[in-house]
Amino acid sequence: MWHVRSEIAAAIFLVLDFDGRCRFDSEASNGSSSHVIMQHAEVSSSKDVIVPYAHLLPRLHLSQDQRRRTLLYFRGAKHRHRGGLIREKLWELLADEPDVIMEEGSPDATGLEQSTRGMRRSDFCLHPAGDTSASCRLFDAIVSLCIPVIVSDSIELPFEGTLDYSDFSVFVSARDALRAGWLVNLLRGVSEEEKDRLRRNMARVQPMFEYDNGDGNGGGIGPVPSDGAVNHIWKKVHEKLPMIREALTREKRTTTPEGAAALRRQCQCT
């Protein structure tokens, strides 16, 4: 399939994040297997577009919001790999804190019901890295009006540039989050007025993470909302095109006519 990879490499990819650019591939050699790191060089932050996960929880409108009694909530797997190792350390620091709920669970029907209840009753929802920096948990928090607490030094988020996540989220470096007592003290110091402001801002951007159209029942009937995820993805694709065209123009200066023609045939971006 290498020829397929080379043919589509110039396309604009819609990706959830840029984690995992390398993977291990097994190649047989003389009857034995060896692990080879394979670079996914065709994925590029300059040409590709980060899109939001589809949220799993139902949307909570600001008018439906009720009093929240829990400071911080997290539900998910405790043990992760790579960058997700910080999650285990956070768990140890936060599990016994009052007004903090750390639950292990999976996204089955029961888990989704518990997550809905937990997020809607909590002021803040913890978003540490797992196997990758991003997950649908962040977008579940947004549609639940639970202020995201993003613990990451390198997370990539959809629609940045159009959207300032600091208007409705709390960003914390991994180093600070792992200081005993630091995170809960920070969150307890946030005033009710500030929390209300963050939730109002969150309510305004909720439609940007909705993929549904028509009647909202998943039938795919009806026009795509102008402020929904699909249109915002197309806007980001449109923003990438001038840079891509510029790169193609420069490429034509440095290749043979035959190579330039091949490049134009292969590029699906424009």
Side-chain angles (χ1 to χ4, degrees):
M1 300 296 288
W2 284 104
H3 68 286
V4 177
R5 291 168 62 91
S6 66
E7 288 173 6
I8 69 171
I12 293 178
F13 292 163
L14 306 182
V15 298
L16 294 168
D17 54 46
F18 292 121
D19 281 335
R21 294 178 202 169
C22 305
R23 70 178 175 87
F24 286 94
D25 205 16
S26 179
E27 293 184 350
S29 176
N30 297 326
S32 62
S33 295
S34 61
H35 289 292
V36 179
I37 294 181
M38 196 162 60
Q39 297 285 342
H40 289 195
E42 67 271 18
V43 179
S44 165
S45 59
S46 63
K47 73 175 181 65
D48 299 321
V49 174
I50 297 175
V51 302
Y53 281 77
H55 59 83
L56 301 179
L57 305 186
R59 180 179 173 185
L60 177 70
H61 295 272
L62 193 60
S63 60
Q64 301 170 312
D65 194 31
Q66 298 180 359
R67 184 179 177 186
R68 295 168 181 261
R69 301 180 181 275
T70 302
L71 177 69
L72 181 63
Y73 179 79
F74 174 83
R75 180 179 175 83
K78 179 179 179 180
H79 303 289
R80 295 284 87 182
H81 309 290
R82 296 193 301 163
L85 294 175
I86 189 176
R87 185 183 296 186
E88 296 182 38
K89 298 176 182 178
L90 282 170
W91 202 294
E92 294 171 2
L93 288 172
L94 297 171
D96 296 326
E97 288 282 351
D99 299 329
V100 174
I101 297 176
M102 304 288 289
E103 296 178 335
E104 281 206 77
S106 57
D108 54 20
T110 301
L112 293 178
E113 182 180 345
Q114 292 174 333
S115 292
T116 300
R117 186 166 55 249
M119 286 190 170
R120 292 187 177 193
R121 292 179 178 177
S122 304
D123 280 325
F124 299 94
C125 285
L126 186 65
H127 182 72
D131 291 334
T132 60
S133 297
S135 74
C136 66
R137 183 179 296 104
L138 172 60
F139 306 100
D140 285 335
I142 291 171
V143 298
S144 302
L145 295 176
C146 185
I147 302 164
V149 178
I150 301 173
V151 181
S152 176
D153 299 320
S154 58
I155 191 170
E156 295 127 347
L157 296 165
F159 312 144
E160 284 192 289
T162 303
L163 192 60
D164 185 350
Y165 282 77
S166 63
D167 286 340
F168 55 87
S169 305
V170 176
F171 286 87
V172 180
S173 70
R175 179 178 180 180
D176 286 336
L178 293 178
R179 292 161 56 187
W182 190 92
L183 182 57
V184 289
N185 288 336
L186 173 71
L187 299 181
R188 287 182 180 132
V190 179
S191 67
E192 291 299 323
E193 291 77 11
E194 177 65 6
K195 287 185 281 189
D196 287 342
R197 184 188 71 84
L198 293 169
R199 274 193 285 271
R200 286 195 302 271
N201 290 340
M202 207 182 323
R204 282 196 286 269
V205 303
Q206 281 178 330
M208 295 180 67
F209 305 110
E210 295 284 353
Y211 285 98
D212 285 343
N213 61 355
D215 57 8
N217 293 322
I221 300 172
V224 175
S226 60
D227 59 347
V230 173
N231 267 349
H232 280 285
I233 290 170
W234 280 116
K235 288 176 184 177
K236 295 302 289 186
V237 170
H238 182 72
E239 290 172 8
K240 299 285 185 179
L241 291 179
M243 287 187 294
I244 294 169
R245 291 191 178 109
E246 183 178 330
L248 288 172
T249 301
R250 287 198 303 269
E251 187 71 20
K252 284 189 286 187
R253 297 200 308 259
T254 57
T255 60
T256 63
E258 294 80 6
L263 180 68
R264 286 195 298 272
R265 286 197 300 272
Q266 289 180 7
C267 184
Q268 307 299 317
C269 327
T270 56

